[in-house]
Amino acid sequence: MSYIDEFSFSFLNFITYQLSDQRKIHEENARRFHALAAQETFNALNRRHYEGKLPRCNLHGLHLDEAIAYTKDHLARCRQAGTNKTIIVVGKGSHSQADSKLKPMILKMLEATDGIVAGMHKKNEGCIVVEF
């Protein structure tokens, strides 16, 4: 290998490591900003949630893992506040490209949770009624 080839190879390795480090930084920023956007979305749809007003929890606009985490937090807050009944708003799934994923996963999670009874709202198929 000539000196120029060795220099080119070393330079390419250096650039590769630099780009890899930048990618990691961008991925971390993307995760951080996405979490912030999820929090802002949740707060906008659940303005009174942190004031102890727990009649409902609106999960519109959240990804599945975020929705599960917010639902678990909401249930814990309801139990702590002594709430008898709450509504989880999951939507009908009409904006999903395929079948709704949020509603069945939240229902499955709720059914596996001890001490609650969960079922679809009688008049609104985009809501789940949870009784403690």
Side-chain angles (χ1 to χ4, degrees), residues 99-129:
D99 292 334
S100 172
K101 293 181 181 147
L102 185 59
K103 187 184 342 180
M105 287 304 290
I106 295 295
L107 266 173
K108 184 178 177 180
M109 184 207 74
L110 292 170
E111 289 168 357
T113 303
D114 291 333
I116 65 169
V117 176
M120 296 309 300
H121 192 281
K122 291 179 182 177
K123 295 183 180 179
N124 186 340
E125 63 187 71
C127 294
I128 301 171
V129 178

mmCIF file of all heavy atoms in Angstrom, residues 99-129:
data_model
loop_
_atom_site.group_PDB
_atom_site.id
_atom_site.type_symbol
_atom_site.label_atom_id
_atom_site.label_comp_id
_atom_site.label_asym_id
_atom_site.label_seq_id
_atom_site.Cartn_x
_atom_site.Cartn_y
_atom_site.Cartn_z
ATOM 1 N N ASP A 99 -55.231 -1.542 10.752
ATOM 2 C CA ASP A 99 -56.131 -1.658 11.892
ATOM 3 C C ASP A 99 -55.573 -0.872 13.067
ATOM 4 O O ASP A 99 -54.366 -0.697 13.202
ATOM 5 C CB ASP A 99 -56.291 -3.132 12.289
ATOM 6 C CG ASP A 99 -57.039 -3.925 11.238
ATOM 7 O OD1 ASP A 99 -57.829 -3.326 10.483
ATOM 8 O OD2 ASP A 99 -56.834 -5.150 11.172
ATOM 9 N N SER A 100 -56.465 -0.430 13.933
ATOM 10 C CA SER A 100 -56.057 0.291 15.131
ATOM 11 C C SER A 100 -55.167 -0.599 15.984
ATOM 12 O O SER A 100 -55.465 -1.764 16.210
ATOM 13 C CB SER A 100 -57.289 0.709 15.930
ATOM 14 O OG SER A 100 -56.907 1.246 17.162
ATOM 15 N N LYS A 101 -54.066 -0.055 16.449
ATOM 16 C CA LYS A 101 -53.161 -0.807 17.325
ATOM 17 C C LYS A 101 -53.312 -0.358 18.770
ATOM 18 O O LYS A 101 -53.151 -1.142 19.690
ATOM 19 C CB LYS A 101 -51.712 -0.616 16.869
ATOM 20 C CG LYS A 101 -51.434 -1.238 15.538
ATOM 21 C CD LYS A 101 -49.999 -1.045 15.127
ATOM 22 C CE LYS A 101 -49.804 -1.675 13.764
ATOM 23 N NZ LYS A 101 -48.861 -0.995 12.950
ATOM 24 N N LEU A 102 -53.626 0.903 18.948
ATOM 25 C CA LEU A 102 -53.668 1.474 20.289
ATOM 26 C C LEU A 102 -54.786 0.871 21.134
ATOM 27 O O LEU A 102 -54.542 0.398 22.244
ATOM 28 C CB LEU A 102 -53.823 2.996 20.200
ATOM 29 C CG LEU A 102 -53.766 3.768 21.494
ATOM 30 C CD1 LEU A 102 -52.440 3.538 22.202
ATOM 31 C CD2 LEU A 102 -53.963 5.251 21.242
ATOM 32 N N LYS A 103 -56.000 0.875 20.605
ATOM 33 C CA LYS A 103 -57.145 0.391 21.383
ATOM 34 C C LYS A 103 -56.965 -1.055 21.851
ATOM 35 O O LYS A 103 -57.113 -1.333 23.046
ATOM 36 C CB LYS A 103 -58.435 0.543 20.578
ATOM 37 C CG LYS A 103 -59.661 0.220 21.382
ATOM 38 C CD LYS A 103 -60.985 0.253 20.634
ATOM 39 C CE LYS A 103 -61.065 0.956 19.360
ATOM 40 N NZ LYS A 103 -62.397 0.910 18.740
ATOM 41 N N PRO A 104 -56.617 -2.007 20.960
ATOM 42 C CA PRO A 104 -56.468 -3.382 21.447
ATOM 43 C C PRO A 104 -55.327 -3.565 22.444
ATOM 44 O O PRO A 104 -55.444 -4.345 23.394
ATOM 45 C CB PRO A 104 -56.222 -4.206 20.187
ATOM 46 C CG PRO A 104 -56.129 -3.265 19.052
ATOM 47 C CD PRO A 104 -56.515 -1.917 19.519
ATOM 48 N N MET A 105 -54.230 -2.834 22.259
ATOM 49 C CA MET A 105 -53.102 -2.982 23.193
ATOM 50 C C MET A 105 -53.421 -2.394 24.563
ATOM 51 O O MET A 105 -53.053 -2.977 25.594
ATOM 52 C CB MET A 105 -51.840 -2.346 22.614
ATOM 53 C CG MET A 105 -51.230 -3.165 21.483
ATOM 54 S SD MET A 105 -50.851 -4.874 21.940
ATOM 55 C CE MET A 105 -49.490 -4.641 23.051
ATOM 56 N N ILE A 106 -54.098 -1.252 24.584
ATOM 57 C CA ILE A 106 -54.475 -0.650 25.870
ATOM 58 C C ILE A 106 -55.498 -1.550 26.565
ATOM 59 O O ILE A 106 -55.401 -1.791 27.775
ATOM 60 C CB ILE A 106 -55.012 0.785 25.679
ATOM 61 C CG1 ILE A 106 -53.909 1.711 25.148
ATOM 62 C CG2 ILE A 106 -55.603 1.328 26.978
ATOM 63 C CD1 ILE A 106 -52.739 1.931 26.094
ATOM 64 N N LEU A 107 -56.468 -2.059 25.820
ATOM 65 C CA LEU A 107 -57.451 -2.988 26.408
ATOM 66 C C LEU A 107 -56.761 -4.222 26.986
ATOM 67 O O LEU A 107 -57.083 -4.648 28.096
ATOM 68 C CB LEU A 107 -58.461 -3.416 25.347
ATOM 69 C CG LEU A 107 -59.752 -2.618 25.274
ATOM 70 C CD1 LEU A 107 -60.578 -3.043 24.076
ATOM 71 C CD2 LEU A 107 -60.546 -2.724 26.556
ATOM 72 N N LYS A 108 -55.819 -4.786 26.245
ATOM 73 C CA LYS A 108 -55.086 -5.962 26.712
ATOM 74 C C LYS A 108 -54.328 -5.654 27.995
ATOM 75 O O LYS A 108 -54.333 -6.446 28.944
ATOM 76 C CB LYS A 108 -54.131 -6.428 25.620
ATOM 77 C CG LYS A 108 -53.380 -7.691 25.939
ATOM 78 C CD LYS A 108 -52.495 -8.091 24.768
ATOM 79 C CE LYS A 108 -51.683 -9.323 25.087
ATOM 80 N NZ LYS A 108 -50.818 -9.716 23.972
ATOM 81 N N MET A 109 -53.674 -4.488 28.035
ATOM 82 C CA MET A 109 -52.936 -4.091 29.231
ATOM 83 C C MET A 109 -53.883 -3.925 30.414
ATOM 84 O O MET A 109 -53.597 -4.375 31.520
ATOM 85 C CB MET A 109 -52.182 -2.787 28.976
ATOM 86 C CG MET A 109 -51.321 -2.355 30.143
ATOM 87 S SD MET A 109 -51.073 -0.580 30.222
ATOM 88 C CE MET A 109 -52.650 -0.026 30.791
ATOM 89 N N LEU A 110 -55.036 -3.288 30.169
ATOM 90 C CA LEU A 110 -55.996 -3.061 31.247
ATOM 91 C C LEU A 110 -56.575 -4.379 31.765
ATOM 92 O O LEU A 110 -56.759 -4.547 32.972
ATOM 93 C CB LEU A 110 -57.119 -2.140 30.764
ATOM 94 C CG LEU A 110 -56.711 -0.692 30.485
ATOM 95 C CD1 LEU A 110 -57.846 0.052 29.792
ATOM 96 C CD2 LEU A 110 -56.289 0.016 31.757
ATOM 97 N N GLU A 111 -56.867 -5.303 30.856
ATOM 98 C CA GLU A 111 -57.422 -6.597 31.263
ATOM 99 C C GLU A 111 -56.441 -7.388 32.115
ATOM 100 O O GLU A 111 -56.845 -8.184 32.950
ATOM 101 C CB GLU A 111 -57.835 -7.396 30.031
ATOM 102 C CG GLU A 111 -59.061 -6.824 29.342
ATOM 103 C CD GLU A 111 -59.326 -7.415 27.968
ATOM 104 O OE1 GLU A 111 -58.518 -8.256 27.496
ATOM 105 O OE2 GLU A 111 -60.337 -7.030 27.352
ATOM 106 N N ALA A 112 -55.156 -7.159 31.916
ATOM 107 C CA ALA A 112 -54.124 -7.863 32.684
ATOM 108 C C ALA A 112 -53.792 -7.151 34.000
ATOM 109 O O ALA A 112 -52.972 -7.637 34.770
ATOM 110 C CB ALA A 112 -52.863 -8.012 31.847
ATOM 111 N N THR A 113 -54.424 -6.012 34.242
ATOM 112 C CA THR A 113 -54.151 -5.225 35.445
ATOM 113 C C THR A 113 -55.122 -5.631 36.545
ATOM 114 O O THR A 113 -56.345 -5.603 36.350
ATOM 115 C CB THR A 113 -54.281 -3.715 35.152
ATOM 116 O OG1 THR A 113 -53.392 -3.380 34.088
ATOM 117 C CG2 THR A 113 -53.940 -2.887 36.376
ATOM 118 N N ASP A 114 -54.592 -6.006 37.701
ATOM 119 C CA ASP A 114 -55.430 -6.423 38.826
ATOM 120 C C ASP A 114 -56.204 -5.243 39.410
ATOM 121 O O ASP A 114 -55.717 -4.113 39.438
ATOM 122 C CB ASP A 114 -54.560 -7.034 39.936
ATOM 123 C CG ASP A 114 -53.956 -8.370 39.525
ATOM 124 O OD1 ASP A 114 -54.568 -9.055 38.682
ATOM 125 O OD2 ASP A 114 -52.878 -8.711 40.045
ATOM 126 N N GLY A 115 -57.407 -5.537 39.884
ATOM 127 C CA GLY A 115 -58.189 -4.552 40.614
ATOM 128 C C GLY A 115 -59.003 -3.593 39.767
ATOM 129 O O GLY A 115 -59.558 -2.642 40.308
ATOM 130 N N ILE A 116 -59.070 -3.826 38.467
ATOM 131 C CA ILE A 116 -59.884 -2.957 37.620
ATOM 132 C C ILE A 116 -60.751 -3.791 36.674
ATOM 133 O O ILE A 116 -60.449 -4.938 36.377
ATOM 134 C CB ILE A 116 -59.053 -1.958 36.798
ATOM 135 C CG1 ILE A 116 -58.171 -2.685 35.782
ATOM 136 C CG2 ILE A 116 -58.227 -1.050 37.679
ATOM 137 C CD1 ILE A 116 -57.527 -1.753 34.782
ATOM 138 N N VAL A 117 -61.823 -3.167 36.242
ATOM 139 C CA VAL A 117 -62.677 -3.748 35.210
ATOM 140 C C VAL A 117 -62.692 -2.741 34.071
ATOM 141 O O VAL A 117 -62.966 -1.552 34.279
ATOM 142 C CB VAL A 117 -64.113 -3.979 35.738
ATOM 143 C CG1 VAL A 117 -65.015 -4.495 34.628
ATOM 144 C CG2 VAL A 117 -64.099 -4.919 36.928
ATOM 145 N N ALA A 118 -62.367 -3.193 32.867
ATOM 146 C CA ALA A 118 -62.293 -2.292 31.720
ATOM 147 C C ALA A 118 -63.171 -2.825 30.594
ATOM 148 O O ALA A 118 -63.232 -4.029 30.355
ATOM 149 C CB ALA A 118 -60.854 -2.160 31.235
ATOM 150 N N GLY A 119 -63.844 -1.895 29.921
ATOM 151 C CA GLY A 119 -64.668 -2.264 28.774
ATOM 152 C C GLY A 119 -64.909 -1.053 27.906
ATOM 153 O O GLY A 119 -64.695 0.091 28.310
ATOM 154 N N MET A 120 -65.380 -1.293 26.712
ATOM 155 C CA MET A 120 -65.642 -0.204 25.772
ATOM 156 C C MET A 120 -66.830 0.630 26.241
ATOM 157 O O MET A 120 -67.790 0.108 26.802
ATOM 158 C CB MET A 120 -65.912 -0.760 24.365
ATOM 159 C CG MET A 120 -64.726 -1.473 23.741
ATOM 160 S SD MET A 120 -63.175 -0.546 23.756
ATOM 161 C CE MET A 120 -63.602 0.891 22.810
ATOM 162 N N HIS A 121 -66.745 1.910 26.011
ATOM 163 C CA HIS A 121 -67.828 2.839 26.318
ATOM 164 C C HIS A 121 -69.024 2.477 25.455
ATOM 165 O O HIS A 121 -68.871 2.158 24.267
ATOM 166 C CB HIS A 121 -67.357 4.268 26.028
ATOM 167 C CG HIS A 121 -68.258 5.321 26.557
ATOM 168 N ND1 HIS A 121 -69.420 5.685 25.924
ATOM 169 C CD2 HIS A 121 -68.162 6.102 27.665
ATOM 170 C CE1 HIS A 121 -70.009 6.649 26.605
ATOM 171 N NE2 HIS A 121 -69.265 6.920 27.670
ATOM 172 N N LYS A 122 -70.226 2.513 26.007
ATOM 173 C CA LYS A 122 -71.422 2.085 25.272
ATOM 174 C C LYS A 122 -71.770 2.998 24.101
ATOM 175 O O LYS A 122 -72.273 2.546 23.088
ATOM 176 C CB LYS A 122 -72.620 1.987 26.218
ATOM 177 C CG LYS A 122 -72.492 0.850 27.201
ATOM 178 C CD LYS A 122 -73.664 0.784 28.130
ATOM 179 C CE LYS A 122 -73.444 -0.351 29.126
ATOM 180 N NZ LYS A 122 -74.509 -0.421 30.109
ATOM 181 N N LYS A 123 -71.476 4.297 24.227
ATOM 182 C CA LYS A 123 -71.863 5.246 23.181
ATOM 183 C C LYS A 123 -70.696 5.738 22.336
ATOM 184 O O LYS A 123 -70.910 6.360 21.313
ATOM 185 C CB LYS A 123 -72.579 6.437 23.808
ATOM 186 C CG LYS A 123 -73.892 6.069 24.447
ATOM 187 C CD LYS A 123 -74.598 7.284 24.995
ATOM 188 C CE LYS A 123 -75.904 6.876 25.637
ATOM 189 N NZ LYS A 123 -76.613 8.023 26.200
ATOM 190 N N ASN A 124 -69.469 5.489 22.782
ATOM 191 C CA ASN A 124 -68.307 5.990 22.050
ATOM 192 C C ASN A 124 -67.258 4.894 21.963
ATOM 193 O O ASN A 124 -66.572 4.600 22.942
ATOM 194 C CB ASN A 124 -67.734 7.235 22.737
ATOM 195 C CG ASN A 124 -66.621 7.880 21.949
ATOM 196 O OD1 ASN A 124 -66.001 7.269 21.090
ATOM 197 N ND2 ASN A 124 -66.342 9.127 22.249
ATOM 198 N N GLU A 125 -67.108 4.291 20.794
ATOM 199 C CA GLU A 125 -66.184 3.181 20.638
ATOM 200 C C GLU A 125 -64.715 3.591 20.696
ATOM 201 O O GLU A 125 -63.836 2.752 20.674
ATOM 202 C CB GLU A 125 -66.462 2.437 19.322
ATOM 203 C CG GLU A 125 -66.256 3.271 18.088
ATOM 204 C CD GLU A 125 -66.693 2.570 16.818
ATOM 205 O OE1 GLU A 125 -67.904 2.424 16.637
ATOM 206 O OE2 GLU A 125 -65.809 2.193 16.032
ATOM 207 N N GLY A 126 -64.456 4.882 20.817
ATOM 208 C CA GLY A 126 -63.089 5.370 20.952
ATOM 209 C C GLY A 126 -62.672 5.578 22.401
ATOM 210 O O GLY A 126 -61.603 6.106 22.681
ATOM 211 N N CYS A 127 -63.538 5.152 23.328
ATOM 212 C CA CYS A 127 -63.259 5.327 24.758
ATOM 213 C C CYS A 127 -63.368 4.002 25.489
ATOM 214 O O CYS A 127 -64.220 3.171 25.185
ATOM 215 C CB CYS A 127 -64.257 6.306 25.371
ATOM 216 S SG CYS A 127 -64.114 7.982 24.747
ATOM 217 N N ILE A 128 -62.508 3.837 26.465
ATOM 218 C CA ILE A 128 -62.519 2.665 27.340
ATOM 219 C C ILE A 128 -62.880 3.138 28.739
ATOM 220 O O ILE A 128 -62.253 4.066 29.262
ATOM 221 C CB ILE A 128 -61.140 1.970 27.355
ATOM 222 C CG1 ILE A 128 -60.747 1.527 25.936
ATOM 223 C CG2 ILE A 128 -61.161 0.788 28.323
ATOM 224 C CD1 ILE A 128 -59.314 1.036 25.836
ATOM 225 N N VAL A 129 -63.876 2.511 29.343
ATOM 226 C CA VAL A 129 -64.289 2.845 30.701
ATOM 227 C C VAL A 129 -63.545 1.922 31.651
ATOM 228 O O VAL A 129 -63.528 0.695 31.465
ATOM 229 C CB VAL A 129 -65.813 2.680 30.873
ATOM 230 C CG1 VAL A 129 -66.234 2.990 32.310
ATOM 231 C CG2 VAL A 129 -66.562 3.572 29.890
#
